[in-house]
Amino acid sequence: MIRATTILRHDAVEPDRIVDVITLDHGDRHRRRIALTADGGTRFLLDLDRADVLEDGDAIALDTGWLVEVRAAPEKLVEITSADPLHLLTLAWHIGNRHVPAEIGRDAIHIGYDHVLVEMLEGLGATVRIVERPFRPVRGAYHHHESGGHHDHGHHHQGHGHG
């Protein structure tokens, strides 16, 4: 079976090497070792040194030299909004306090659907809407793309924005 031991981040992907696409939901994009079949039928064993998150637009490098592009599948999400930016920040705090993966946008927060959290958020005065779209939560503060096990927990205040 074809093996894949490397992930290329979206900004390093060479489009002319892509031979297939694999569509995965958020839960299935956090992997270390699993047999996968891409949308076009390419079968391979993902065999990473450690578990990692496959982001929309990343590519899985096959040992053949070809790439399989990763796409985030649409899934049922809760869209949380508020007319008051301070209220939205407070809602983000409540969500983070429950250690729930969240996608933070300028005007909305998205989380995976959970009826208990929907009731809590509505009780806190949030405007809540159920939507279907890819989920791209914020990565953990201590998560790094680099291999080799180096984890820098120092304070850096520049060059770490998300595009």
Side-chain angles (χ1 to χ4, degrees), residues 2 31 38 45 48 52 70 74-75 78 104 111 117 121 124 129 142 156:
I2 298 170
R31 293 290 177 192
L45 174 67
L48 303 174
D52 203 348
V70 176
E75 46 194 301
V78 179
I104 310 293
I111 61 172
L117 290 176
L121 291 161
L124 291 168
R129 185 171 69 108
Y142 299 115
H156 299 282

Side-chain angles (χ1 to χ4, degrees), residues 76 78 111-123 128 130:
K76 186 177 182 180
V78 179
I111 61 172
Y113 178 79
D114 179 320
H115 72 90
V116 173
L117 290 176
V118 167
E119 289 175 19
M120 176 200 76
L121 291 161
E122 288 174 337
V128 175
I130 307 306

Side-chain angles (χ1 to χ4, degrees):
M1 177 176 266
I2 298 170
R3 284 183 67 229
T5 58
T6 307
I7 304 303
L8 297 178
R9 298 303 166 191
H10 69 278
D11 55 352
V13 173
E14 300 171 45
D16 57 335
R17 291 178 49 206
I18 295 172
V19 294
D20 210 335
V21 172
I22 189 161
T23 306
L24 302 167
D25 68 19
H26 174 253
D28 286 337
R29 291 193 323 267
H30 187 247
R31 293 290 177 192
R32 188 191 82 72
R33 190 168 199 273
I34 186 172
L36 294 168
T37 302
D39 301 353
T42 304
R43 296 168 42 95
F44 60 95
L45 174 67
L46 181 66
D47 191 11
L48 303 174
D49 289 338
R50 64 172 195 251
D52 203 348
V53 177
L54 305 167
E55 300 288 356
D56 188 56
D58 287 349
I60 300 166
L62 306 178
D63 60 8
T64 60
W66 298 108
L67 303 176
V68 175
E69 183 179 7
V70 176
R71 286 203 187 130
E75 46 194 301
K76 186 177 182 180
L77 302 176
V78 179
E79 181 180 81
I80 305 139
T81 59
S82 174
D84 178 4
L86 182 57
H87 185 231
L88 190 61
L89 285 172
T90 303
L91 295 169
W93 182 87
H94 283 286
I95 292 164
N97 197 38
R98 281 147 186 85
H99 303 283
V100 174
E103 180 178 338
I104 310 293
R106 185 171 303 282
D107 300 315
I109 301 165
H110 291 86
I111 61 172
Y113 178 79
D114 179 320
H115 72 90
V116 173
L117 290 176
V118 167
E119 289 175 19
M120 176 200 76
L121 291 161
E122 288 174 337
L124 291 168
T127 301
V128 175
R129 185 171 69 108
I130 307 306
V131 298
E132 181 100 4
R133 68 172 195 64
F135 187 34
R136 299 175 185 98
V138 175
R139 298 181 91 152
Y142 299 115
H143 180 86
H144 297 281
H145 294 303
E146 300 90 18
S147 58
H150 175 72
H151 295 282
D152 179 3
H153 298 285
H155 296 279
H156 299 282
H157 298 285
Q158 58 183 326
H160 290 285
H162 295 283

